[in-house]
Amino acid sequence: MRAVGQNDKKWPFGGVRIGLAVLALASIASGCGPDGSAPVEPAGGQPPLKAPPARALDAYATKLRAAHAARVAAAKRWGLKRVPLTAPPPPAKKPRITTRDGFEVDGHRRLELPPVFTTVPTDEKILFLTIDDGAEKDPAFLRMMSELKVPYSAFLSDYLVKEDYGYFKEMQDRGVGLHNHTLRHPYLPALSYARQEREICGMQRVIEKRYGERPVLFRPPYGNYDKATLRAAKACGITHVPLWNEEVFADHWEYREWDRDLHPGDIVLSHFRGREDWEGTMPDMIRRFLDKVTAEGYAVARLEDYL
């Protein structure tokens, strides 16, 4: 039973309505009438039949139990300390995303350039996992994320993705959003506007051709950008430029904030890397990520649902 909070103050009879609904469902499930009377026994001594709503309720409860059991088994199979928490439903009204203080470029608002941000405004204890580039193409990682039902967003560079477009198609088929991380992963502020536009628009065309969707999210390589970057991104159809507040590796975490802690709505960065670059594999990275966030009471949500 939940504690009384702000919503209860706004809706003083909300708790009463919920309570009545629960009692009604309980009556239906038990086969009793609304006045609490016992169900009528059918002829032949057979147990009373449940009404259709009760059968639907039972089926839904069975489905939830099966889904939870599958997550428990998957968590054990992949060596997690705890079962990952499930994120709440995304808000019907999306939060207003603005550029983080100190991350603006000259004329940012006047030119209506895409917002650059590291955290999504929310009071929920949720985080967003984003994974960059596309160097490592580990089938075990795909299985792990699918079995654990953990959402994430991929920011891809074509010079790496083209080694195996099919791997990322399989990822997309499992519900993962594929986004823009440029064609060749250059340091963009060193390039002219025209060359930056080729990098960004070129990757837009690759993703649209290979995966059927033109991205609206873009992450500049290394997190570096200038006014020309954001102008080019806007011209290429980009609406948001998410950066990150934490970065997780197979063997450690790194933090942007002074408190070296997680915060509601933080965007977490990682990379498609393996033992050639890390002291571990991508499943090792996911174990480190999930063990920490779950222990601190955070669930992982889908970034696209909040933008």
Side-chain angles (χ1 to χ4, degrees):
M1 185 172 183
R2 66 185 182 87
V4 176
Q6 270 191 325
N7 290 337
D8 300 300
K9 294 176 183 176
K10 291 181 181 178
W11 303 99
F13 303 108
V16 175
R17 291 187 184 124
I18 293 170
L20 290 174
V22 170
L23 288 174
L25 284 173
S27 296
I28 293 171
S30 65
C32 295
D35 60 353
S37 59
V40 177
E41 289 283 346
Q46 297 296 320
L49 297 175
K50 291 184 177 180
R55 292 199 297 272
L57 188 63
D58 280 350
Y60 180 65
T62 300
K63 184 177 180 181
L64 287 180
R65 286 194 296 270
H68 179 69
R71 283 170 64 84
V72 170
K76 182 177 181 180
R77 184 162 55 251
W78 290 103
L80 301 184
K81 295 178 181 177
R82 304 183 185 186
V83 179
L85 300 174
T86 301
K93 183 179 180 181
K94 308 304 181 188
R96 181 171 175 263
I97 306 296
T98 59
T99 295
R100 176 174 171 161
D101 289 345
F103 286 58
E104 309 93 343
V105 299
D106 183 44
H108 207 131
R109 288 190 181 182
R110 175 174 53 82
L111 297 172
E112 298 182 336
L113 299 177
V116 181
F117 56 103
T118 62
T119 301
V120 172
T122 180
D123 293 327
E124 301 279 4
K125 289 196 73 173
I126 56 173
L127 301 170
F128 305 98
L129 177 62
T130 62
I131 309 180
D132 281 8
D133 62 46
E136 183 76 358
K137 302 161 186 71
D138 186 351
F141 167 77
L142 287 182
R143 292 196 305 273
M144 182 180 193
M145 300 304 271
S146 293
E147 292 175 12
L148 292 170
K149 309 296 185 194
V150 176
Y152 61 102
S153 304
F155 289 80
L156 306 177
S157 292
D158 189 51
Y159 83 107
L160 295 169
V161 176
K162 66 183 180 182
E163 297 170 353
D164 188 354
Y165 286 122
Y167 177 84
F168 298 96
K169 175 59 178 170
E170 185 175 353
M171 188 177 293
Q172 182 190 42
D173 290 343
R174 299 181 187 208
V176 177
L178 307 182
H179 305 293
N180 192 323
H181 198 44
T182 70
L183 288 171
R184 290 172 286 272
H185 205 274
Y187 175 75
L188 291 173
L191 305 182
S192 67
Y193 173 85
R195 291 179 64 189
Q196 293 198 49
E197 188 178 46
R198 283 197 294 272
E199 281 286 337
I200 300 169
C201 286
M203 193 60 196
Q204 292 287 84
R205 289 189 289 271
V206 167
I207 294 178
E208 185 174 30
K209 177 183 177 181
R210 295 288 178 177
Y211 305 111
E213 296 180 6
R214 195 171 181 85
V216 294
L217 307 187
F218 164 67
R219 174 172 286 155
Y222 316 107
N224 295 121
Y225 60 94
D226 60 10
K227 183 177 179 179
T229 309
L230 300 184
R231 286 178 54 230
K234 180 181 178 181
C236 298
I238 296 300
T239 63
H240 293 81
V241 180
L243 297 185
W244 62 91
N245 240 13
E246 295 87 26
E247 184 171 2
V248 60
F249 299 83
D251 59 347
H252 71 284
W253 283 74
E254 293 181 1
Y255 302 86
R256 187 184 297 272
E257 306 296 343
W258 64 270
D259 60 1
R260 297 179 60 81
D261 203 358
L262 304 174
H263 316 90
D266 274 359
I267 299 170
V268 179
L269 165 67
S270 193
H271 289 82
F272 290 99
R273 300 290 170 88
R275 291 193 180 278
E276 291 184 5
D277 302 286
W278 283 348
E279 294 296 324
T281 64
M282 290 198 71
D284 291 334
M285 177 273 291
I286 293 300
R287 269 189 290 274
R288 178 171 293 275
F289 169 74
L290 289 175
D291 282 344
K292 177 177 176 64
V293 304
T294 305
E296 297 192 19
Y298 284 89
V300 185
R302 185 174 181 268
L303 178 61
E304 295 84 348
D305 291 340
Y306 286 76
L307 304 181

